Each structure stands twice: as C-alpha cells, then as structure tokens.
C-alpha cells in the first residue's frame, strides 16, 4: 500500500506541475509532455524543453505588446516577423528557431547560438539542434506511442494532490489541537527541567567528563 501511495503521490506531483506549465503557455498538457519526452529521447532535457517554451511564450507576449523591443529584434534577426510571432504558438516558434540553429554548420557556432538564445537552458537543447528535424519529430511520435498524460489525467493528478494537501493540513491541525490541550501539563515540566539543568550544569558536565576519561 505504501508503495502504491508513493507512486500515486509522484504521479500527482508530475501531473500538477505539467498542468500548471501547460496552462502558462496555452498548451495542451499531453502535447507539452510529448515534447518533454521527445527532448529526453533526443538526449536532451525535459526541463530545458519546458524552460525554452515558457521563455518563448513570455517573449512572444512581450514582443507583441511592445514590452521587449530586444525580443522583437531577436525574432526579426531569425527571420520571424512580428505578424508571424502573433500567429505562431511557442511550439511553432521553437520549431522555426530550431531549424535556424540546425542550419549552422559550425558546431561551436551552433552551441553559441543556442546559449545566446536560450541561456543555460540551451545546453539541454543542444542534442535536439544536433539532430535533424525529422529525427526530432520521430521522437515526438515515439514519446506519444509510449504514453503521455492528457488533460483529464493532469486534472485528476491536480485533484489528488489537492486531496493529499488537505489531508496534510488536517493532520497538522489535529496536532496543533493536541499540543494546545496538553500545553498546561507539559510547560511546567519543561520549565522544571530547564531550571534543574541550569542549577546542576557543573555537576552534569563533570559526570560526563568522568565517563569520557
């Protein structure tokens, strides 16, 4: 039973995080998980994929709304117009950028471009950029074949995590009630112990020293 509960807890945590991330990007949880797992199959990092998509989602909004002219300039330098930025999803933007980076033949320049565009997250994306677009698409299909969490699964995971949190809070509240009830009896005992130790600390320390010798 304990093993099943740990498995369910891990599933609830993953599903809740997946739902939160997907919602922040306007993506379907199953599609996000497919991209994360495809990154892993490519030799990259699922966290790097999530980070890149989240970054592009933020940059898209900022560029379109005039809050990040540097992001707009960066998209334009990659050959992506503001009209396209408005229409393209974070996943589509990532695909366009990946194609550009794959087109860089110098491995060192390719790495520099990935780090320049995505920061440290780019390290976990390099294996994706070092393979062809078809290879990455094949890995997406493979990850979907192995199974991903759909929206219903992510919602169910979030419900389970909420129920577990409720149980934790209930147990904590029960403990607080017990502590409050027994405080009148425990506090005097604790105070007496403190006074006794203060009054006999030299005798206690000498006794301990004698045992050590």
């Amino acid at each position: 039973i304990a093993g099943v509960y740990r498995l369910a807890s891990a599933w609830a945590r993953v599903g809740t995080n997946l739902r939160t991330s997907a919602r922040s990007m306007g993506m379907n949880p199953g599609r996000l998980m497919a991209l994360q797992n495809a990154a892993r199959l490519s030799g990259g990092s699922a966290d790097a994929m999530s980070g890149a998509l989240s970054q592009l989602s933020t940059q898209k909004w900022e560029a379109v709304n005039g809050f990040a002219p540097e992001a707009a300039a960066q998209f334009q330098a990659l050959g992506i117009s503001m009209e396209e930025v408005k229409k393209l999803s974070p996943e589509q933007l990532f695909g366009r950028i990946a194609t550009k980076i794959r087109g860089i033949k110098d491995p060192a320049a390719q790495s520099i471009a990935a780090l320049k565009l995505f920061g440290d997250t780019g390290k976990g994306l390099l294996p994706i950029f070092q393979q062809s677009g078809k290879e990455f698409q094949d890995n997406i299909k493979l990850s979907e074949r192995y199974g991903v969490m759909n929206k219903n699964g992510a919602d169910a995971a979030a419900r389970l995590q909420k129920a577990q949190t409720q149980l934790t809070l209930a147990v904590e509240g029960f403990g607080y009630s017990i502590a409050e009830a027994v405080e009148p009896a425990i506090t005097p005992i604790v105070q007496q112990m403190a006074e006794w130790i203060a009054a006999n600390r030299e005798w206690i320390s000498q006794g301990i020293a004698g045992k050590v010798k």
Side-chain angles (χ1 to χ4, degrees), residues 83-156:
E83 286 301 314
E84 290 179 299
V85 171
K86 290 179 183 179
K87 297 176 183 178
L88 296 176
S89 67
E91 179 186 350
Q92 291 170 326
L93 285 171
F94 180 82
R96 289 284 296 274
I97 293 170
T99 299
K100 289 285 185 180
I101 295 178
R102 289 189 185 106
I104 301 173
K105 301 307 179 184
D106 184 345
Q110 192 179 68
S111 298
I112 291 170
L115 294 174
K116 181 69 175 176
L117 290 166
F118 295 107
D120 288 340
T121 298
K123 296 177 183 177
L125 300 172
L126 280 175
I128 297 172
F129 302 142
Q130 291 167 351
Q131 62 183 186
S132 69
K134 182 181 183 304
E135 287 174 320
F136 184 59
Q137 290 300 319
D138 287 343
N139 281 336
I140 293 176
K141 293 176 183 177
L142 191 57
S143 69
E144 290 173 337
R145 178 186 174 192
Y146 290 149
V148 295
M149 192 180 299
N150 59 25
K151 182 179 182 301
N152 290 337
D155 289 341

Side-chain angles (χ1 to χ4, degrees), residues 26-41:
M27 292 184 66
N28 180 283
R31 185 60 181 178
L32 175 57
M33 191 172 197
L35 291 169
Q36 290 174 330
N37 290 345
R40 294 170 61 193
L41 287 168

Side-chain angles (χ1 to χ4, degrees), residues 16-103:
T16 301
N17 291 339
L18 178 69
R19 187 177 78 157
T20 300
S21 297
R23 282 181 171 181
S24 71
M25 304 173 205
M27 292 184 66
N28 180 283
R31 185 60 181 178
L32 175 57
M33 191 172 197
L35 291 169
Q36 290 174 330
N37 290 345
R40 294 170 61 193
L41 287 168
S42 301
S45 161
D47 288 340
M49 175 57 72
S50 297
L53 292 171
S54 178
Q55 176 183 323
L56 289 172
S57 177
T58 300
Q59 288 178 337
K60 172 184 174 177
W61 187 89
E62 290 179 340
V64 169
N65 290 279
F67 287 95
E70 69 280 3
Q74 191 174 73
F75 284 129
Q76 290 173 351
L78 291 165
I80 306 173
S81 69
M82 278 298 96
E83 286 301 314
E84 290 179 299
V85 171
K86 290 179 183 179
K87 297 176 183 178
L88 296 176
S89 67
E91 179 186 350
Q92 291 170 326
L93 285 171
F94 180 82
R96 289 284 296 274
I97 293 170
T99 299
K100 289 285 185 180
I101 295 178
R102 289 189 185 106

Side-chain angles (χ1 to χ4, degrees), residues 177-201:
S177 297
I178 292 177
E180 182 179 351
V182 301
E183 181 276 331
I186 293 178
T187 296
I189 296 174
V190 173
Q191 290 174 332
Q192 289 173 14
M193 290 177 63
E195 291 298 325
W196 183 84
I197 292 173
N200 297 279
R201 61 177 179 272

